[in-house]
């Protein structure tokens, strides 16, 4: 009920009695006299009568009699009733009493029945006639038209759910009967069905066995279906017994579309509501089913072009309210037909693979399950935000990593170039001994060549001796070439080059490079290789450079030591995870306070020292994932140790960078 305050008769009397009293007082003050007295009485009577009228009107509850064609629980009736009540009970104005009566077609019918029904109404309501009658459905309107004279001939009638097609067969309605005709759009529904199933070639029309059903069938046969003749072949399943109908429907293929007009009685003579009929047909059919009633939606039917029954109720309710409020039926100006639109069951759209794009925007889509996105919008938004944030963060980290890599490569390149410069300096330092080492085989070659010449000059056949000389020349040449090769390897500028190599071999190569220098300085170099090969991954030339540096430093430290004690021992040992190389000398050792500083750049105790050798050595070792440190040997001299990991192919060139 509306929450609007209503004007009760007591309130009205009080409100309207007040000005009457005031006027009375006013008139009393008129000059006395017989005429004046009479006039005063008339005036008061008229005023009271006029002012009291609305009070009586407000007191009277308006009665609305709704006569439905069918039974109480017909879904269409339930929907229409909902719409009607929503409007009538929700609008301000006179209080309403709604009475519902059901003709219960098609279970009952016929003239006698209708007479009885009219009598029943007359007996029930007597002289207390309704203010408005609502006729719901064709049969109800027909009944009202037929019995109105004997019932309530002057009461306005609003019809709802009365088909335009049936109305067109009647003579014009009296002015007191108004309503919005229902265009029961069989053709519109079939048109939509064939549009949504453009490949369908058969139209199967299902109708029932009641008189109303037969009317529909006739209309479909004569007017509706012929319109689609060129498009599809039509087949009628009219008034079939339930089992037969089920069987025929089950045999349909996807070439077919079913149009169900809905029926009230099946071929077995059983009464059924059109909605239940729709449910039975849809569940049996192997082809999509369409129907012209809103109440079919949800039964398994795909949809149809329909006016909703609730809308019927609402529109009728609006007319009723206006009539009760005093409007005349002629003044209502109602639309020509109830608007209709396509209503579909989304589940059926999916089931039959109907292109969702073919469903018009103004269509009503029922039973659409919200998509995951629709159902979890907030969560999805948060997840997306987190994802984007994360992606942004990852992107930023990747850029940073790239930058870091770039910086690392730059550092690596610089270190490499520094190492190369240091090797050049080292080579320059060793030039004397290297030149000597090359000169030796060259001198020997020359001597051998001279000797060979003498032998040839002698004229005698000394082929064996000549062969031995040539062999010596070849050997000396190889020696000289080997020295040059080593020197080139040492001083050549190459890119950072990480390859597998064997550590013992590298140590032996170092000894070969320094052999001449050691001899020059009268130092013995002892190499104690590891028992088993030590496979390494790295830049062999750089590791050799470190070792050369350590051995040269060791020789420097023994410059003042007696010749017999000038000995450098280079040992390689396998340790867990790699190898340890120790370079031990018998020199002056390192003062304890200098020990932490020897690897610093530019730390040198030598007169012409640069103080870069050990610092470069440390960067090289660390770039190979190792470490290097110095200690004083027990007794005398120093030991430089370094540990390098054995083959570790996973290590990147920059590993171990500070
Ligand atoms: P440089 O040889 O130009 O001085 P290094 O970095 O190679 O530069 O050596 C730094 C310093 O470490 C040397 O000046 C020396 O004082 C000390 N040092 C290096 N090796 C030894 C060693 N075997 N015994 C004693 N001191 C050493």
């Amino acid at each position: 009920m509306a929450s609007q305050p209503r004007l009760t008769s007591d309130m009205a009397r009080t409100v309207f009695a007040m000005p009457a009293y005031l006027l009375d007082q006013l008139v009393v003050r008129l000059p006395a006299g017989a005429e004046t007295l009479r006039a005063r009485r008339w005036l008061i009577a008229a005023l009271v009568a006029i002012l009291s009228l609305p009070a009586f009107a407000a007191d009277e509850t308006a009665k609305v009699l709704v006569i439905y064609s069918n039974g109480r629980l017909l879904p269409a009736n339930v929907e229409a009733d909902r719409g009607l009540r929503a409007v009538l009970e929700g609008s301000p104005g006179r209080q309403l009493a709604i009475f519902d009566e059901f003709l219960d077609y098609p279970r009952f019918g016929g003239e006698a029945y209708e007479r009885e029904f009219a009598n029943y109404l007359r007996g029930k309501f007597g002289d207390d006639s309704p203010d408005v009658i609502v006729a719901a459905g064709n049969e109800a309107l027909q009944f009202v038209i037929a019995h109105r004279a004997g019932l309530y001939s002057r009461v306005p009638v609003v019809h709802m759910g009365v088909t335009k097609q049936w109305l067109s067969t009647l003579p014009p309605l009296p002015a007191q009967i108004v309503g919005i005709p229902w265009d029961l759009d069989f053709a519109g529904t079939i048109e939509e069905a064939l549009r949504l199933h453009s490949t369908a070639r058969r139209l199967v029309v299902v109708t029932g066995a009641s008189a109303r059903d037969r009317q529909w069938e006739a209309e479909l046969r004569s007017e509706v279906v012929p319109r689609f003749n060129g498009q599809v072949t039509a087949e009628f399943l009219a008034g079939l017994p339930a089992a037969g109908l089920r069987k025929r429907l089950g045999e349909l293929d996807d070439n077919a579309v079913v149009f169900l007009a809905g029926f009230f009685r099946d071929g077995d003579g059983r009464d059924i509501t059109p909605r239940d009929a729709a449910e039975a047909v849809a569940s049996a059919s192997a082809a999509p089913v369409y129907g012209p009633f809103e109440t079919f939606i949800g039964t398994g039917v795909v949809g149809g072009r329909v006016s909703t029954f609730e809308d019927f109720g609402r529109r009728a309710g609006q007319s009723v309210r206006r009539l009760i409020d005093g409007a005349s039926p002629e003044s209502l100006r109602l639309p020509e037909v109830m608007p209709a639109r396509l209503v579909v069951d989304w589940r059926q759209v999916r089931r039959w693979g109907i292109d969702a794009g073919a469903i018009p925007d103004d269509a009503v889509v029922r039973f659409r399950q919200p998509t995951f996105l629709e159902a979890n919008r907030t969560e999805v938004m948060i997840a997306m935000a987190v994802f984007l944030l994360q992606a942004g963060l990852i992107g930023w980290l990747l850029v940073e990593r790239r930058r870091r890599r770039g910086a690392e490569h730059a550092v690596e390149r610089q270190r490499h170039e520094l190492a190369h410069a240091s090797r050049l300096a080292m080579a320059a330092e060793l030039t004397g001994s290297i030149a000597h080492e090359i000169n030796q085989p060259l001198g020997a070659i020359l001597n051998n060549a001279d000797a060979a010449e003498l032998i040839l000059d002698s004229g005698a056949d000394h082929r064996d001796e000549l062969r031995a000389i040539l062999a010596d020349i070849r050997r000396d040449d190889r020696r000289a070439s080997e020295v040059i090769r080593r020197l080139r390897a040492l001083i050549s500028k190459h890119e950072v080059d990480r390859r597998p190599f064997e550590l013992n071999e590298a140590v032996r190569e170092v000894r070969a490079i320094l052999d001449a220098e050691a001899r020059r300085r009268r130092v013995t170099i002892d190499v104690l290789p590891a028992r088993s090969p030590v496979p390494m991954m790295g830049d062999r030339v750089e590791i050799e450079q470190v070792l050369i540096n350590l051995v040269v430093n060791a020789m420097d430290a023994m410059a003042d030591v007696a010749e017999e004690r000038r000995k450098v021992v280079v040992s390689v040992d396998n340790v867990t995870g790699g190898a340890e190389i120790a370079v031990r000398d018998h020199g002056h050792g390192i003062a304890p306070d200098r020990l932490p500083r020897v690897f610093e750049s530019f730390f040198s105790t030598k007169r012409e020292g640069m103080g870069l050798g050990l610092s470069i050595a440390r960067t090289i070792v660390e770039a190979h994932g190792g470490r290097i440190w110095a200690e004083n040997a027990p007794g005398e001299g120093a030991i430089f140790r370094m540990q390098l990991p054995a083959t570790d192919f996973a290590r990147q060139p920059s590993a171990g960078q500070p």
Side-chain angles (χ1 to χ4, degrees), residues 294-607:
E294 183 221 357
T295 46
F296 288 5
I297 310 297
T299 59
V301 163
V302 181
R305 192 164 179 78
V306 303
S307 307
T308 71
F309 290 102
E310 192 179 344
D311 264 0
F312 285 140
R314 283 181 175 278
R315 293 300 192 108
Q318 287 160 359
S319 298
V320 169
R321 173 51 79 187
R322 289 183 60 199
L323 290 171
I324 284 172
D325 288 347
S328 69
E330 297 89 342
S331 68
L332 290 185
R333 292 191 205 295
L334 300 174
E336 293 219 332
V337 285
M338 279 294 292
R341 53 188 166 161
L342 177 66
V343 179
V344 289
D345 181 336
W346 182 249
R347 298 166 304 185
Q348 302 306 322
V349 170
R350 303 293 295 271
R351 176 182 168 201
W352 298 106
I354 297 165
D355 175 17
I359 297 171
D361 289 345
D362 68 339
V364 178
V365 179
R366 302 250 167 94
F367 305 108
R368 184 175 349 220
Q369 292 292 325
T371 60
F372 179 79
L373 184 66
E374 286 162 353
N376 305 286
R377 192 169 290 276
T378 315
E379 290 81 352
V380 170
M381 295 297 267
I382 292 172
M384 286 284 282
V386 170
F387 174 76
L388 286 175
L389 204 73
Q390 211 173 36
L393 207 66
I394 289 170
W396 179 70
L397 286 174
L398 283 175
V399 170
E400 280 302 302
R401 197 182 117 174
R402 206 190 153 100
R403 275 197 196 148
R404 200 180 131 232
R405 278 272 166 85
E408 281 172 0
H409 281 138
V411 169
E412 171 80 357
R413 247 192 330 275
Q414 276 175 3
R415 185 194 61 71
H416 194 67
E417 274 169 16
L418 196 62
H420 178 243
S422 165
R423 283 201 301 279
L424 288 180
M426 205 184 280
E429 213 177 299
L430 299 175
T431 326
S433 56
I434 289 167
H436 178 73
E437 209 179 354
I438 294 170
N439 270 341
Q440 256 195 344
L442 288 180
I445 288 167
L446 192 64
N447 287 341
N448 274 324
D450 289 345
E453 201 167 31
L454 286 174
I455 289 170
L456 286 173
D457 287 346
S458 71
D461 185 6
H462 292 291
R463 282 189 203 173
D464 289 344
E465 281 175 56
L466 282 172
R467 262 195 205 97
I469 286 170
L470 283 174
D472 283 354
I473 288 173
R474 256 189 225 105
R475 191 198 60 226
D476 290 332
D477 181 85
R478 272 198 290 269
R479 254 178 72 195
S481 301
E482 187 61 14
V483 175
I484 290 166
R485 182 195 64 74
R486 277 191 226 112
L487 185 66
R488 265 168 92 181
L490 190 65
I491 61 175
S492 69
K493 188 172 185 184
H494 61 275
E495 287 304 305
V496 181
D497 185 20
R498 310 232 157 203
R499 292 158 191 255
F501 68 93
E502 208 278 309
L503 192 58
N504 289 324
E505 271 175 27
V507 173
R508 282 191 202 102
E509 177 94 352
V510 168
R511 207 252 305 265
I513 291 170
L514 292 176
D515 221 19
E517 181 68 9
R519 258 182 279 119
R520 189 177 70 79
R521 298 195 192 204
R522 310 213 180 285
V523 173
T524 320
I525 299 175
D526 280 352
V527 169
L528 305 174
R531 290 209 181 120
S532 54
V534 186
M536 306 242 85
M537 175 62 124
D539 191 322
R540 175 176 168 156
V541 173
E542 288 195 345
I543 295 295
E544 286 178 9
Q545 171 180 358
V546 173
L547 287 169
I548 291 169
N549 203 292
L550 295 180
V551 175
V552 169
N553 275 352
M555 291 194 288
D556 285 348
M558 293 187 296
D560 299 330
V561 170
E563 260 186 56
E564 62 278 9
R565 291 200 347 255
R566 288 185 204 159
K567 187 163 140 187
V568 182
V569 181
V570 183
S571 58
V572 183
D573 288 296
N574 297 93
V575 295
T576 326
E580 183 174 300
I581 306 145
V583 178
R584 190 214 160 132
D585 62 57
H586 293 269
H588 50 66
I590 307 164
D593 59 323
R594 287 181 182 159
L595 258 178
R597 299 191 58 203
V598 289
F599 290 97
E600 284 175 14
S601 300
F602 307 110
F603 175 81
S604 177
T605 55
K606 300 172 193 167
R607 196 173 328 145

Side-chain angles (χ1 to χ4, degrees), residues 621-657:
V621 171
E622 287 178 350
H624 283 77
R627 64 192 188 101
I628 183 168
W629 69 100
E631 54 196 48
N632 278 311
E636 59 179 0
I639 307 178
F640 280 78
R641 294 181 195 277
M642 62 173 171
Q643 281 185 349
L644 289 170
T647 313
D648 185 353
F649 296 96
R651 271 196 183 275
Q652 293 301 305
S654 60
Q657 280 292 323

Side-chain angles (χ1 to χ4, degrees), residues 106-361:
R107 285 193 288 188
F108 300 93
E111 273 178 37
Y113 167 71
E114 284 190 7
R115 255 195 321 277
E116 279 307 310
F117 197 84
N119 282 338
Y120 152 77
L121 290 180
R122 213 173 291 120
K124 186 171 179 179
F125 294 98
D127 293 337
D128 197 9
S129 77
D131 294 79
V132 179
I133 293 173
V134 176
N138 295 2
E139 291 83 356
L141 182 60
Q142 192 172 35
F143 168 80
V144 170
I145 293 170
H147 297 275
R148 199 164 154 262
L151 271 169
Y152 313 107
S153 55
R154 280 195 231 147
V155 175
V157 177
V158 175
H159 65 75
M160 68 173 178
V162 171
T163 60
K164 185 181 131 196
Q165 291 80 354
W166 177 71
L167 277 175
S168 67
T169 64
L170 302 182
L173 295 177
Q176 288 286 88
I177 300 179
V178 292
I180 309 172
W182 171 21
D183 187 4
L184 183 51
D185 197 3
F186 290 164
T189 295
I190 294 173
E191 210 168 274
E192 292 285 7
L194 295 180
R195 199 176 57 76
L196 295 178
H197 302 271
S198 51
T199 54
R201 292 289 161 260
R202 276 173 76 199
L203 173 66
V204 179
V205 182
V206 181
T207 54
S210 76
R212 161 71 89 92
D213 301 334
R214 292 295 181 195
Q215 274 172 20
W216 282 346
E217 182 195 336
E219 185 189 331
L220 280 158
R221 280 189 193 275
S222 64
E223 289 169 36
V224 181
V225 171
R227 289 194 224 167
F228 301 95
N229 270 350
Q231 206 177 341
V232 284
T233 54
E235 178 187 347
F236 273 77
L237 303 179
L240 290 188
L245 179 61
R246 262 201 308 277
K247 184 167 176 297
R248 296 287 295 275
L249 289 168
E251 287 164 0
L252 295 177
D253 57 19
D254 53 6
N255 256 339
V257 168
V258 177
F259 174 75
L260 169 69
F263 50 84
F264 289 88
R265 188 168 294 156
D266 66 16
D268 300 314
R270 237 189 339 251
D271 287 335
I272 185 170
T273 67
R275 185 189 159 88
D276 290 342
E279 198 160 353
V281 167
S283 69
S285 177
V289 181
Y290 286 78
F293 297 103
E294 183 221 357
T295 46
F296 288 5
I297 310 297
T299 59
V301 163
V302 181
R305 192 164 179 78
V306 303
S307 307
T308 71
F309 290 102
E310 192 179 344
D311 264 0
F312 285 140
R314 283 181 175 278
R315 293 300 192 108
Q318 287 160 359
S319 298
V320 169
R321 173 51 79 187
R322 289 183 60 199
L323 290 171
I324 284 172
D325 288 347
S328 69
E330 297 89 342
S331 68
L332 290 185
R333 292 191 205 295
L334 300 174
E336 293 219 332
V337 285
M338 279 294 292
R341 53 188 166 161
L342 177 66
V343 179
V344 289
D345 181 336
W346 182 249
R347 298 166 304 185
Q348 302 306 322
V349 170
R350 303 293 295 271
R351 176 182 168 201
W352 298 106
I354 297 165
D355 175 17
I359 297 171
D361 289 345

